[in-house]
Amino acid sequence: MKIVVTGGLGFIGSHTVVELQNEGFEVVAIDNLSNSSESVLDGIERITGKKPIFEKMDLRDKTSVQNFFKKHNDVAGVIHFAASKAVGESVENPLLYYENNINALVYVLQELKELSNPNFIFSSSCTVYGQAEIMPITEDASVQPAASPYGNTKQIGEEIITDVAKVTNINSILLRYFNPIGSHPSAEIGELPLGIPQNLVPFITQTAIGMREKLSVYGDDYPTPDGTAVRDYIHVVDLAKAHVVALKRLLSKQNLDKVETFNLGTGTGSSVLEVITAFEKVSGQKLNYQIVGRREGDITSAYANTDKANNVLGWKAQSTLEDSLASAWKWEQKIRS
Ligand code: UD1
């Protein structure tokens, strides 16, 4: 069964390609290589024994999208990762984000609705909840006004899919990720941030390996037990597996609605200082860090209520924070050696 993975060479996309191939799916990966490298295909092959079919393509080019789906009109589902995801960059260049994250989505849906198996999985984010009032966050929590163009593209994307579902045969699952971290345990694929990492874990591993002098901890005056902000860090392999479970749900027509939404997290919140302590434990490295002021736009706390994912989707994160950090560290050491 043929599955299209857009952004298939990216961080979450590549891990999902591995899990799909492990389950026997035939994968066609699309990527424009704007934030990834073709060598990821070799890593996938070393893990699974097979390279996915790869189409280097930019989904902002409508004609290419049309031609792609003419060629691959036998696909059974699309998992759509391809998007830009840097909050600060989206504030500086909103049109890039609207073009990349919205136009591309529209073009894919336009072609998908013509297929006989229009199953669609969308990469959304817990960013849609903003600072939720009640922790842990359930899927019923209200969507808050987006704090950035990036966050807005996830909200608009969810709305577009919901509108389209009303008038087409497309069945969709919206997956709202908490904070994906880590790498495949083989260290054959992992996160490859361009330039200075904005996210916590790649900044930690790059500091520990000596590429960055020290980590800035953004704020210790939050109303949390140790004063640093709390997030739900989920191992990327667990996250990837959730996509396969969601896809199978659509393929076997077990979905209860044309559009279903699931939170993907572990259900456990960890503070920045807890992440640092856990990293030091698994790596045996002392991390150089300094407390600085809060980062603009950051929220105090976000962690998932996982009941719906556990009970309805039938998926549960298996890895601990320490497992995730150990895999991130193994990957960092491998790529710098
Ligand atoms: C960020 C985005 C979120 C996006 C996600 C994608 C913001 C405000 N949010 O999530 O919308 O979906 O990335 O990957 O950018 N931290 C430090 N020092 C650092 C880096 C981070 O202390 O150098 C802290 C942050 O303040 C935060 C936590 O670590 O409390 C996690 O940060 P990060 O990894 O950037 O994720 P989010 O901000 O949760």
Side-chain angles (χ1 to χ4, degrees):
M1 209 174 258
K2 192 191 270 186
I3 305 300
V4 172
V5 180
T6 76
L9 303 198
F11 174 42
I12 308 172
S14 59
H15 288 82
T16 302
V17 171
V18 165
E19 297 307 321
L20 286 167
Q21 293 196 161
N22 281 345
E23 295 277 319
F25 289 101
E26 181 186 12
V27 177
V28 185
I30 296 175
D31 209 296
N32 68 0
L33 304 179
S34 62
N35 194 17
S36 60
S37 143
E38 222 171 318
S39 64
V40 172
L41 292 167
D42 302 325
I44 293 171
E45 186 180 20
R46 284 193 291 272
I47 298 169
T48 64
K50 196 179 164 194
K51 259 192 193 150
I53 301 166
F54 173 55
E55 300 266 2
K56 181 173 182 303
M57 201 176 108
D58 196 311
L59 298 171
R60 288 171 293 189
D61 179 355
K62 186 171 177 169
T63 309
S64 299
V65 178
Q66 289 171 329
N67 291 338
F68 173 87
F69 280 99
K70 268 188 210 121
K71 184 169 153 195
H72 297 285
N73 61 5
D74 54 344
V75 305
V78 174
I79 306 183
H80 183 54
F81 293 103
S84 302
K85 61 146 216 169
V87 174
E89 184 187 43
S90 80
V91 174
E92 271 151 37
N93 196 350
L95 289 174
L96 171 73
Y97 275 66
Y98 289 115
E99 184 182 36
N100 212 16
N101 295 9
I102 303 297
N103 288 20
L105 170 66
V106 170
Y107 299 155
V108 170
L109 292 174
Q110 276 172 336
E111 301 314 308
L112 185 70
K113 73 176 171 35
E114 306 302 329
L115 302 183
S116 47
N117 285 308
N119 297 311
F120 191 68
I121 311 264
F122 181 62
S123 288
S124 192
S125 168
C126 69
T127 193
V128 301
Y129 299 118
Q131 179 57 74
E133 275 172 26
I134 301 167
M135 286 302 138
I137 303 172
T138 63
E139 289 80 353
D140 300 332
S142 57
V143 169
Q144 301 292 330
S148 69
Y150 158 75
N152 208 20
T153 65
K154 293 298 174 189
Q155 295 190 4
I156 296 169
E158 290 195 355
E159 288 169 4
I160 290 171
I161 293 162
T162 306
D163 286 343
V164 171
K166 289 176 191 153
V167 292
T168 66
N169 290 328
I170 297 178
N171 283 287
S172 302
I173 293 183
L174 314 177
L175 297 176
R176 292 177 175 163
Y177 313 152
F178 282 68
N179 288 56
I181 61 165
S183 77
H184 194 269
S186 64
E188 294 291 358
I189 55 172
E191 192 168 9
L192 280 171
L194 280 184
I196 301 174
Q198 307 299 313
N199 294 118
L200 178 63
V201 171
F203 205 103
I204 287 177
T205 55
Q206 288 196 7
T207 305
I209 207 93
M211 286 176 71
R212 314 274 157 211
E213 194 202 332
K214 65 178 152 205
L215 170 76
S216 296
V217 174
Y218 297 135
D220 69 350
D221 58 350
Y222 284 103
T224 60
D226 66 21
T228 62
V230 168
R231 297 288 185 275
D232 185 340
Y233 297 93
I234 172 170
H235 195 298
V236 65
V237 173
D238 280 329
L239 192 69
K241 287 182 174 163
H243 291 75
V244 181
V245 174
L247 177 72
K248 286 183 173 172
R249 180 175 175 85
L250 292 180
L251 291 171
S252 59
K253 306 200 184 305
Q254 287 172 297
N255 53 312
L256 305 174
D257 280 308
K258 298 281 300 281
V259 181
E260 291 184 316
T261 305
F262 296 100
N263 284 342
L264 296 182
T266 65
T268 302
S270 305
S271 72
V272 178
L273 291 179
E274 283 172 334
V275 174
I276 293 171
T277 305
F279 176 78
E280 289 181 333
K281 184 174 164 205
V282 298
S283 67
Q285 304 281 314
K286 192 94 199 92
L287 193 78
N288 190 19
Y289 71 89
Q290 181 186 23
I291 310 282
V292 300
R294 293 183 181 190
R295 179 170 69 178
E296 207 188 315
D298 272 355
I299 54 170
T300 301
S301 180
Y303 53 98
N305 179 310
T306 60
D307 290 349
K308 191 176 175 197
N310 296 168
N311 302 330
V312 181
L313 186 61
W315 163 91
K316 195 173 181 0
Q318 302 295 329
S319 298
T320 64
L321 177 65
E322 289 181 6
D323 297 334
S324 302
L325 292 168
S327 70
W329 179 231
K330 185 175 173 190
W331 167 248
E332 187 72 59
Q333 288 173 293
K334 158 128 192 254
I335 56 177
R336 308 298 165 198
S337 63

